[in-house]
Amino acid sequence: MEITVTVNGAPRTADVEPRMLLVHLIRETFGLTGTHIGCDTTSCGACTVLLDGVPVKSCTLFGVQADGRSITTVEGLASGGELHPIQAAFKEHHGLQCGYCTPGMMLVGAALIERNPAPSEEEVRFAISGNICRCTGYMNIVKAIQAAAASKAGAGADEPAA
Amino acid sequence: MLPSRFEYHRAETLDEALSLLATYGEDAKVLAGGQSLIPMMKLRFAYPGHLVDVNRVPGLDGIEERDGALRIGALVRHHALETSELIRSRYPTIAAAAPQIADPLVRNLGTIGGSIAHADPAGDLASVMLALGATVVLRSSGGSRELPLREFLVDTFTTQIRPDEMLTEIVVPAAEPSSGGTYLKQERKVGDWATVGVAVALTLRDGRIARAGIGLTSVGLTNLEATEAEEALAGAEPTDEAFAEAARLAAAAAHPVSDVRGSAEYKRHVVDVYVRRGLARAREMAAA
Ligand SMILES: Cc1cc2nc3c(=O)[nH]c(=O)nc-3n(C[C@H](O)[C@H](O)[C@H](O)COP(=O)(O)OP(=O)(O)OC[C@H]3O[C@@H](n4cnc5c(N)ncnc54)[C@H](O)[C@@H]3O)c2cc1C
Ligand code: FES
Ligand code: FES
């Protein structure tokens, strides 16, 4: 089946079998291997991508379901050689160790601070509760997401009012 | 894990979805949130020949009160229930359950229609809807029918739905004054299914219980309605003693099995504790 998906802002077409999972479409057909596969059973969140801005587990969605829709993967966070505030904050606050969960954590964090510019620690922990990290103990992930929110809000304040 | 091959049909309208179901019958499955169906297909517990994707069918995602009833469209995502102002302000049993289902990412896709049609006795929303006395609307190309949820649920993963039918709406009697409710769930971790879940809904009138609803999760072949406990409460004064008796009856109606989440005896005990605790909380809300 022929589909067109907007991936990180650019339209991509592919001819796929309906049973191909979105995560395989992204990794194998589009070659974007920043989206990881952990459990393959909808439990870990390593495969998280944004579907029209909403975080979902791409191991539990068929690629054909993304036809005509827009996907953001971790590769789509940085723009023009600049790290996204969430990436800068993960780097600054040591929000990762092995990095396996990191793309998912950053995408969930980016989506959260998009709709909640100053999330509390509790709100961050609730938002990432579908994403498992086996390394960090979550402390620095939470810190990084809150710091990203603060830096994004700060950057916004510097912009001249429209 | 790769599911077996299937043909994919994307329905753009309800009529189109129903006509596809009529054409492919037993060999077709509705694809809603996919959060139960796709995992089962990956494990090859399910291998439908045709999937009818209804995610783009318009008009099935409403949450509204109309003609004395709350009507929830089958495609309402768990996240939409969790964030609905109408639900938060008037339907505390639903509001308490929604954020406890699965995890936030699964809730962005999973739907109420899928949860109820799937008929997993560990599903949270069916217990809530039993406690609230809900009915389900089933549509086919030939027409529609409405069934009380307690009749709709037949066995684990088995309902009264026909292969050519789709569940389109869940209908709940509108919230009455002086009512309250909650959902208490024991889970080992976020994203786990309930070890035990108890949904409670209570309406008081003139110092007595006008209606009590109790739904139980993960303690039987289907979500269970504790009807004997409900009947014992109807008309009684909302005392701790009446609640304790109802809890005893609900625990007796539960048929838990021992598994990794706990022994049958333990689960029965949790039912008893949660029914008492849930009723007490509902009474507080009803009196407020
Ligand atoms: C990791 C994980 C944890 C979970 N934890 C919980 C939990 O704690 N509590 C809980 O309640 N649920 C839990 N779920 C299940 C989740 O709530 C599902 O979303 C829900 O059970 C099914 O809804 P769906 O829209 O995804 O349905 P789908 O997966 O699309 O469909 C499920 C079944 O229902 C049928 N169906 C779907 N919609 C309709 C319709 N409108 N008419 C007729 N048939 C239909 C399908 O054909 C299929 O047979 C969990 C899921 C996962 C992956
Ligand atoms: S790989 Fe998708 S949730 Fe773990
Ligand atoms: S950094 Fe290793 S799993 Fe999170």
Side-chain angles (χ1 to χ4, degrees):
Chain A
M1 184 179 161
E2 174 102 354
I3 59 170
T4 303
V5 186
T6 301
V7 183
N8 299 326
R12 306 277 294 257
T13 55
D15 189 14
V16 299
E17 249 195 288
R19 64 173 170 162
M20 180 184 247
L21 296 165
L22 179 60
V23 69
H24 296 301
L25 175 73
I26 292 169
R27 289 176 55 86
E28 289 150 32
T29 309
F30 297 147
L32 297 169
T33 52
T35 304
H36 295 161
I37 302 176
C39 63
D40 204 8
T41 56
T42 334
S43 306
C44 73
C47 64
T48 302
V49 299
L50 305 184
L51 177 64
D52 293 331
V54 175
V56 298
K57 293 177 172 175
S58 64
C59 72
T60 315
L61 207 71
F62 293 114
V64 288
Q65 294 182 266
D67 186 24
R69 303 181 69 177
S70 151
I71 296 284
T72 307
T73 69
V74 67
E75 289 91 344
L77 284 175
S79 71
E82 286 275 323
L83 292 182
H84 183 284
I86 199 93
Q87 292 172 304
F90 267 70
K91 185 176 169 205
E92 169 78 19
H93 295 273
H94 306 287
L96 63 149
Q97 286 178 24
C98 79
Y100 208 82
C101 70
T102 315
M105 289 290 184
M106 291 198 301
L107 287 163
V108 167
L112 173 67
I113 66 179
E114 214 40 66
R115 63 187 157 76
N116 181 350
S120 65
E121 175 179 339
E122 201 189 331
E123 286 168 334
V124 173
R125 287 187 181 273
F126 187 73
I128 63 171
S129 60
N131 295 73
I132 293 173
C133 177
R134 288 277 104 124
C135 303
T136 65
Y138 302 98
M139 293 284 292
N140 289 351
I141 293 176
V142 175
K143 248 193 249 170
I145 294 174
Q146 287 190 295
S151 96
K152 196 165 168 282
D158 289 338
E159 277 165 25
Chain B
M1 290 176 287
L2 203 56
S4 57
R5 286 200 175 78
F6 59 86
E7 228 177 282
Y8 174 80
H9 309 269
R10 183 187 300 142
E12 303 289 345
T13 64
L14 182 57
D15 284 345
E16 192 187 343
L18 297 177
S19 109
L20 285 162
L21 292 176
T23 305
Y24 297 110
E26 295 274 4
D27 202 24
K29 281 257 167 223
V30 170
L31 174 65
Q35 302 301 286
S36 292
L37 182 56
I38 297 176
M40 290 192 100
M41 289 176 66
K42 286 166 74 175
L43 295 168
R44 307 234 176 166
F45 289 147
Y47 31 85
H50 298 265
L51 281 193
V52 179
D53 182 352
V54 296
N55 281 282
R56 298 186 206 195
V57 172
L60 293 179
D61 60 354
I63 306 175
E64 55 175 10
E65 280 182 318
R66 188 157 31 91
D67 308 328
L70 170 71
R71 310 186 78 93
I72 306 175
L75 277 187
V76 167
R77 315 270 168 196
H78 305 327
H79 178 258
L81 275 187
E82 184 184 349
T83 51
S84 155
E85 183 51 34
L86 173 62
I87 297 296
R88 198 199 55 75
S89 60
R90 290 182 40 83
Y91 298 91
T93 314
I94 306 176
Q100 299 191 70
I101 300 167
D103 67 49
L105 284 74
V106 171
R107 291 200 294 275
N108 283 337
L109 290 173
T111 67
I112 186 169
S115 178
I116 287 174
H118 190 53
D120 185 332
D124 298 301
L125 287 174
S127 294
V128 169
M129 293 301 152
L130 284 172
L132 293 173
T135 55
V136 295
V137 179
L138 306 175
R139 293 272 305 263
S140 68
S141 298
S144 84
R145 56 181 179 138
E146 197 167 323
L147 279 184
L149 178 58
R150 80 170 78 86
E151 289 172 27
F152 177 72
L153 301 174
V154 175
D155 203 340
T156 304
F157 303 135
T158 307
T159 69
Q160 294 268 11
I161 205 162
R162 293 193 314 253
D164 66 333
E165 280 178 324
M166 194 177 142
L167 195 167
T168 53
E169 231 178 1
I170 292 93
V171 185
V172 177
E176 301 217 38
S178 305
S179 54
T182 194
Y183 185 70
L184 300 172
K185 174 175 179 175
Q186 185 173 91
E187 56 182 2
R188 296 172 303 176
K189 57 176 260 299
V190 169
D192 193 19
W193 299 85
T195 301
V196 171
V198 173
V200 166
L202 195 68
T203 302
L204 303 181
R205 201 174 298 136
D206 306 324
R208 291 190 174 267
I209 298 169
R211 181 187 178 280
I214 300 173
L216 309 177
T217 308
S218 288
V219 291
L221 294 177
T222 64
N223 298 80
L224 300 176
E225 183 173 354
T227 45
E228 281 182 31
E230 292 173 351
E231 282 159 18
L233 289 167
E237 281 178 47
T239 59
D240 289 346
E241 292 70 30
F243 291 175
E245 174 61 9
R248 195 187 62 74
L249 290 168
H255 298 286
V257 291
S258 300
D259 61 16
V260 289
R261 292 186 176 81
S263 67
E265 187 190 4
Y266 170 73
K267 293 180 189 181
R268 206 184 289 278
H269 178 67
V270 176
V271 171
D272 187 311
V273 172
Y274 278 7
V275 170
R276 271 185 281 141
R277 199 179 286 173
L279 286 168
R281 203 169 293 170
R283 175 178 60 193
E284 257 171 57
M285 289 177 182

